[in-house]
Amino acid sequence: MLAERYPYYLANRPRQPNAELAVTDKYSGEVVTHVALADAGAVEEAIAAAVRATGPMRRLAPYARQEVLEHCVRRFRERAEELAFALCVEAGKPLRDARGEVTRLIDTFKAAAEEAVRIEGEVLNLEVSRRAAGYRGFTQRVPVGPCSFITPFNFPLNLVAHKVAPAIAAGCPFVLKPSDRTPVSSMILAEVLAETNLPEGAFSVLPTRLEDVGPFIEDDRLKLLSFTGSEKVGWELKARAGRKKVVLELGGNAACVVDRDQGDRLDFIADRVSHGAFFQAGQSCISVQRVLVHEELYDALRERLVARARALRAGNPRDEATTLGPMIDEPAARRLEGWIQRAVERGARVLTGGGRRGALLEATVLEGVPADEPLSAEEAFGPVVLLQPFRAFDEALRVVNEGRYGLQAGLFTNDLSKAMRAWDELEVGGVVVGDVPSFRVDTMPYGGVKGSGLGREGVKYAIEDMTELRLLVLRQE
């Protein structure tokens, strides 16, 4: 069960000045709890506290940072079902998916605990010419300082974890603005952090009105902004961020290529594409949106994928048997329903699905969608997948590269030379061979190019963004 109300956390401590933010059950639409909403004064107080915590966090020994993260891992395991239930209600995730996200939360904090004690420098040979005789160089990585994090609704735990856990490992205080649609998960995470010995001011977690968000982006006391969300908003925030570092994890319309030599693996491929397209109602930046299939396999894979889409059980995410939950709200479902209808008006064919009941949109498979339709060119962010045949492998690579996104791509092939060619030529942050683009492990470098973002997440790589190299040059007589 959810609590009747939740505080926000300012400088490590809970505060309950109000209960103004209503949180709804995304399946029923009913208000299920309330969360305190921070005002402009609270945001200023949190940033000032983070600035004061900069020195204490920097001086916090690596083993002490590790102990904080290990405490979180233990407590997340103890509260796993509570966290999964919160995700199920506030984000509409089927329980099996919600439990999977809790597992990833734990994995991310566990990886950060391991990395906290191996943030290392190097010894440099500076004697590259006679004038540098007797000189040596040394580097260390030091925390960048107070960080600002803004996170979306679709992974309310794990996308927060990918910012918070590396920040603690790196020794950076932070202020976090979670999504106002899914704030409860972040409040439970903050409650666990408050049990630790982090220096005062090391963290604040503040659901905030839109008009009070400005300092998270523009305040020069914050040295890094990490934002996960839509492409349009992300690039606008970067333009406002001033001189601070900026990391953007934005949208995508991920493609998956199925090569000619995969005829004996079509059942497996259909399983993986179905999961990648419809998991979490398709509300993932690396959801499978476009599937390019060699023309000799097209009919066979289409038949299998349609059957799997029809077999999904849509409904209440609290039901253990549910495999397809609602989108985040009814306007989001109506928007995607409209895109489907628009594509059909231009000749696309709905193979299955397309219906909507409230925020529940059926798992939908289409073919013949024009490339310039929003359903193909934009981020669908819902349970929709488009099929398209191809004849030549290079043609498929060209289609994948069309448009402004470049997050991840999937490729099913047995041909190593084609796999390497795809890795060399596809304009994406990552190529997944033998699986769908939706595959992600929380320790791997993750991020996009083109309109899909800037920088990389993945614990080790986020720590690199949250630290700076400091050089020592030593001259010996």
Side-chain angles (χ1 to χ4, degrees):
M1 294 293 295
L2 300 181
E4 183 177 342
R5 62 181 189 171
Y6 291 86
Y8 60 63
Y9 281 76
L10 197 161
N12 306 34
R13 297 183 180 182
R15 292 196 183 181
Q16 189 82 61
N18 59 64
E20 295 181 7
L21 179 57
V23 181
T24 61
D25 179 316
K26 297 308 181 291
Y27 178 73
S28 69
E30 297 176 356
V31 174
V32 289
T33 188
H34 291 81
V35 176
L37 202 56
D39 61 14
V43 174
E44 166 57 32
E45 193 175 342
I47 294 173
V51 172
R52 291 192 299 271
T54 299
M57 279 295 287
R58 184 180 66 247
R59 292 188 292 271
L60 194 65
Y63 69 83
R65 301 173 193 171
Q66 184 180 63
E67 288 171 354
V68 169
L69 292 160
E70 288 175 340
H71 171 85
C72 292
V73 168
R74 288 191 299 272
R75 295 291 284 135
F76 295 152
R77 285 174 175 157
E78 292 167 359
R79 301 180 70 171
E81 278 300 302
E82 176 189 0
L83 286 162
F85 183 76
L87 288 172
C88 175
V89 174
E90 71 171 348
K93 293 175 185 278
L95 275 170
R96 63 180 68 186
D97 296 344
R99 293 187 182 111
E101 183 171 346
V102 174
T103 298
R104 290 186 61 189
L105 164 75
I106 293 167
D107 287 347
T108 302
F109 269 78
K110 184 172 181 289
E114 294 167 355
E115 292 293 340
V117 295
R118 53 185 185 222
I119 302 173
E120 300 168 342
E122 59 181 333
V123 179
L124 305 175
N125 174 22
L126 300 182
E127 295 184 297
V128 297
S129 67
R130 185 175 299 278
R131 73 179 186 86
Y135 286 84
R136 290 186 180 183
F138 306 85
T139 64
Q140 63 170 323
R141 299 203 72 90
V142 298
V144 70
C147 297
S148 173
F149 303 143
I150 302 176
T151 56
F153 69 81
N154 56 325
F155 287 91
L157 277 177
N158 200 44
L159 293 180
V160 168
H162 270 284
K163 303 180 191 306
V164 168
I168 295 170
C172 294
F174 64 87
V175 292
L176 164 68
K177 183 207 170 296
S179 169
D180 57 6
R181 295 174 174 180
T182 54
V184 173
S185 303
S186 293
M187 296 306 119
I188 298 173
L189 187 150
E191 184 180 332
V192 170
L193 285 178
E195 299 168 355
T196 71
N197 293 321
L198 283 170
E200 183 178 355
F203 74 92
S204 295
V205 181
L206 304 175
T208 309
R209 294 182 181 87
L210 186 61
E211 59 264 30
D212 295 324
V213 171
F216 283 88
I217 305 153
E218 298 165 353
D219 197 307
D220 287 337
R221 292 172 293 177
L222 299 169
K223 303 306 179 184
L224 178 143
L225 167 65
S226 180
F227 170 83
T228 302
S230 74
E231 177 198 19
K232 180 178 183 293
V233 173
W235 294 113
E236 288 177 354
L237 298 191
K238 181 178 181 296
R240 295 168 54 191
R243 292 180 293 179
K244 63 176 62 65
K245 283 187 176 182
V246 176
V247 177
L248 301 176
E249 299 296 338
L250 307 178
N253 59 349
C256 188
V257 176
V258 182
D259 200 15
R260 182 181 187 177
D261 60 7
Q262 297 297 293
D264 60 346
R265 303 184 71 213
L266 291 182
D267 286 326
F268 170 75
I269 293 170
D271 288 341
R272 294 303 296 155
V273 169
S274 177
H275 177 79
F278 304 128
F279 166 77
Q280 195 168 295
Q283 296 171 121
S284 168
C285 297
I286 45 176
S287 174
V288 179
Q289 186 168 331
R290 299 176 292 154
V291 183
L292 289 82
V293 188
H294 191 275
E295 60 184 9
E296 294 181 9
L297 306 181
Y298 184 81
D299 290 347
L301 183 59
R302 177 179 60 187
E303 178 183 351
R304 287 167 169 81
L305 188 55
V306 167
R308 282 157 176 77
R310 289 173 177 166
L312 293 172
R313 178 169 173 173
N316 191 335
R318 301 191 197 193
D319 185 340
E320 295 279 1
T322 295
T323 52
L324 182 68
M327 295 180 66
I328 192 63
D329 55 29
E330 187 170 349
R334 285 201 302 267
R335 184 264 307 167
L336 192 51
E337 179 187 39
W339 285 10
I340 293 168
Q341 293 170 350
R342 173 173 163 167
V344 169
E345 290 170 2
R346 291 191 60 197
R349 179 186 173 205
V350 175
L351 302 175
T352 189
R356 181 183 63 82
R357 177 168 55 86
L360 271 173
L361 185 70
E362 293 175 346
T364 305
V365 184
L366 299 96
E367 63 181 359
V369 176
D372 60 346
E373 272 297 301
L375 200 59
S376 177
E378 303 291 338
E379 180 178 40
F381 220 64
V384 172
V385 65
L386 318 180
L387 302 183
Q388 177 179 347
F390 71 88
R391 179 170 298 174
F393 186 72
D394 287 341
E395 171 197 349
L397 298 186
R398 179 188 59 78
V399 172
V400 173
N401 279 337
E402 288 178 346
R404 65 180 188 275
Y405 293 114
L407 195 45
Q408 290 196 163
L411 171 60
F412 290 93
T413 185
N414 295 330
D415 189 328
L416 180 60
S417 66
K418 288 183 177 179
M420 298 302 288
R421 189 152 88 246
W423 188 29
D424 287 339
E425 296 184 11
L426 289 180
E427 298 166 359
V428 294
V431 178
V432 182
V433 179
D435 209 343
V436 291
S438 318
F439 177 82
R440 181 182 180 185
V441 170
D442 298 296
T443 53
M444 76 187 205
Y446 172 81
V449 297
K450 301 196 294 188
S452 291
L454 183 69
R456 292 294 179 270
E457 289 190 342
V459 174
K460 176 182 176 181
Y461 308 94
I463 289 172
E464 290 179 358
D465 276 332
M466 295 176 190
T467 56
E468 296 175 319
L469 275 179
R470 183 173 293 170
L471 173 67
L472 170 67
V473 177
L474 179 63
R475 180 178 178 271
Q476 292 178 297
E477 297 292 343

